[in-house]
Amino acid sequence: MTANTSTASAVIQASASGVAKGAAANIPPRRMDFEFSESESPRYFYGNDAFLSHFWNTFSSLLPAGESFFVQAVRHYRDQVTDPVLKAQVAGFIGQEAMHSKEHLAFNTMIASKGLPMEELQRDVSWFLETIAKYAPKSLQLAATVCLEHYTAIIAEQLLREPEHQRMLGDFDAKKLWLWHALEENEHKTVAYDLYESTVGSYWLRAGTMVPTTLILAVVLVAFQTRMMAADGQLFKLKQNAKGFAYLWSRKGLFPRLAPQFFDFFRRDFHPSQHDTDALLMEWKEKLLGSEGLLKDSSFAKKAKAAA
Ligand SMILES: [Fe+2]
Ligand SMILES: [Fe+2]
């Protein structure tokens, strides 16, 4: 299955009843309908910086297939859930991740239209995840989902918490995509974890899976970004790339700032809700979805109404 077909099937699986259940659990799948026009989307959307924009492009290349993988991993276990609250949260999780796949695919298609090798990267990550889905035990697939959801939650929290990211994202549709996604990652950050705890439950599998998951993620991100930058003729712009690398990895860089939250995952009594984002979510729901919010014209429902 390609990223396109698995994303389409994931969206179809986010049924109307799932949407209603997710909304009742405060994890409402919101159908966006972003239009990323090639001409209005700058090539280097993040701070007009090639290295950093390609870092986020690379991250995005993993998401259509990656989030479909999360949906499948969760679906393997959802029939074992008896708690009605967790059942509704799982429905919301599936709906939100399906929408993220769909919108990142639209974003990635726009990036590909700039002559960048996005389709090749998506194809490779689809192949890798389909192989894992076929051969790895289902418990390991859910544990890997919990690990990757930890990454998305803490990166998303940083995107929302630090104005520097919002400034670097400029005023383009890419900003709407990343901030909407960040909001919803924080809304559903406990779901895969709670599903894992109530079904598989092994601490050692959860903590042990984080190590290879992190190594594979790091290798894939570096290899994919290198391919993206080579295709764009940016690979040997050493001064510019050293600056971008420092932005991510220097002592105060994006990833080192995440280290304390990252390592919390290895505590036996860790739970994602210990990273309190309730006030942050309230603030960003208003900033994005309020009457004057950044997404006020973006939802599919509003567009459909306006067109009627
Ligand atoms: Fe997501
Ligand atoms: Fe997620």
Side-chain angles (χ1 to χ4, degrees):
M1 210 168 19
T2 65
N4 283 339
T5 53
S6 61
T7 299
S9 70
V11 169
I12 289 163
Q13 284 161 8
S15 64
S17 71
V19 170
K21 280 185 200 158
N26 278 332
I27 302 177
R30 303 175 181 92
R31 182 165 172 181
M32 292 294 140
D33 196 18
F34 294 121
E35 286 162 12
F36 300 105
S37 85
E38 201 265 330
S39 57
E40 288 172 30
S41 302
R43 191 172 191 82
Y44 306 128
F45 68 91
Y46 190 92
N48 196 28
D49 184 296
F51 182 95
L52 295 174
S53 299
H54 284 320
F55 167 74
W56 291 108
N57 288 337
T58 300
F59 195 9
S60 186
S61 76
L62 310 181
L63 293 174
E67 304 207 81
S68 296
F69 175 87
F70 299 166
V71 167
Q72 280 182 52
V74 161
R75 284 174 65 86
H76 290 145
Y77 283 91
R78 74 168 176 180
D79 290 343
Q80 295 181 29
V81 178
T82 50
D83 175 15
V85 175
L86 183 55
K87 246 184 195 315
Q89 289 176 332
V90 166
F93 174 93
I94 289 173
Q96 286 194 339
E97 295 294 35
M99 301 303 166
H100 301 167
S101 277
K102 171 181 167 293
E103 296 304 328
H104 274 275
L105 192 58
F107 176 77
N108 292 354
T109 302
M110 178 274 293
I111 296 293
S113 73
K114 294 180 183 295
L116 295 165
M118 185 59 92
E119 285 178 8
E120 292 87 327
L121 301 186
Q122 289 187 141
R123 186 194 58 216
D124 291 353
V125 76
S126 289
W127 171 84
F128 177 71
L129 290 174
E130 281 160 21
T131 306
I132 301 275
K134 200 166 168 187
Y135 296 108
K138 292 185 171 63
S139 55
L140 183 64
Q141 294 180 42
L142 186 59
T145 299
V146 172
C147 295
L148 290 164
E149 280 288 289
H150 183 59
Y151 270 110
T152 56
I154 62 178
I155 292 172
E157 182 181 342
Q158 193 185 83
L159 277 178
L160 297 180
R161 219 177 266 292
E162 298 190 0
E164 174 69 0
H165 280 301
Q166 294 131 41
R167 190 184 67 73
M168 294 289 266
L169 281 166
D171 268 325
F172 313 109
D173 274 358
K175 180 180 199 167
K176 298 180 186 174
L177 169 76
W178 286 103
L179 293 176
W180 161 72
H181 195 167
L183 176 85
E184 295 194 350
E185 285 305 316
N186 274 281
E187 279 181 331
H188 71 229
K189 68 181 178 179
T190 60
V191 179
Y193 188 96
D194 287 342
L195 179 65
Y196 176 88
E197 286 293 303
S198 69
T199 54
V200 182
S202 159
Y203 166 75
W204 288 108
L205 181 64
R206 168 171 75 78
T209 303
M210 185 55 113
V211 178
T213 300
T214 296
L215 289 174
I216 292 168
L217 182 63
V219 168
V220 169
L221 281 173
V222 170
F224 279 20
Q225 185 172 351
T226 302
R227 285 166 67 181
M228 189 69 97
M229 294 190 61
D232 195 25
Q234 298 290 328
L235 193 55
F236 296 107
K237 298 197 171 164
L238 299 182
K239 204 170 156 195
Q240 163 199 284
N241 295 345
K243 210 171 123 220
F245 187 84
Y247 189 88
L248 298 181
W249 287 106
S250 66
R251 201 163 58 82
K252 290 188 177 168
L254 185 151
F255 287 110
R257 285 202 304 281
L258 292 174
Q261 287 164 293
F262 170 72
F263 285 111
D264 286 345
F265 187 83
F266 292 96
R267 289 202 325 260
R268 265 186 185 277
D269 65 350
F270 171 71
H271 188 268
S273 62
Q274 290 161 358
H275 296 157
D276 185 357
T277 47
D278 289 352
L280 188 69
L281 276 178
M282 290 280 282
E283 177 191 333
W284 276 96
K285 273 186 196 169
E286 186 56 33
K287 281 183 180 170
L288 294 176
L289 305 161
S291 55
E292 289 308 310
L294 196 62
L295 297 175
K296 66 180 191 297
D297 299 322
S298 297
S299 84
F300 179 79
K302 281 182 187 159
K303 280 190 175 176
K305 207 170 160 191

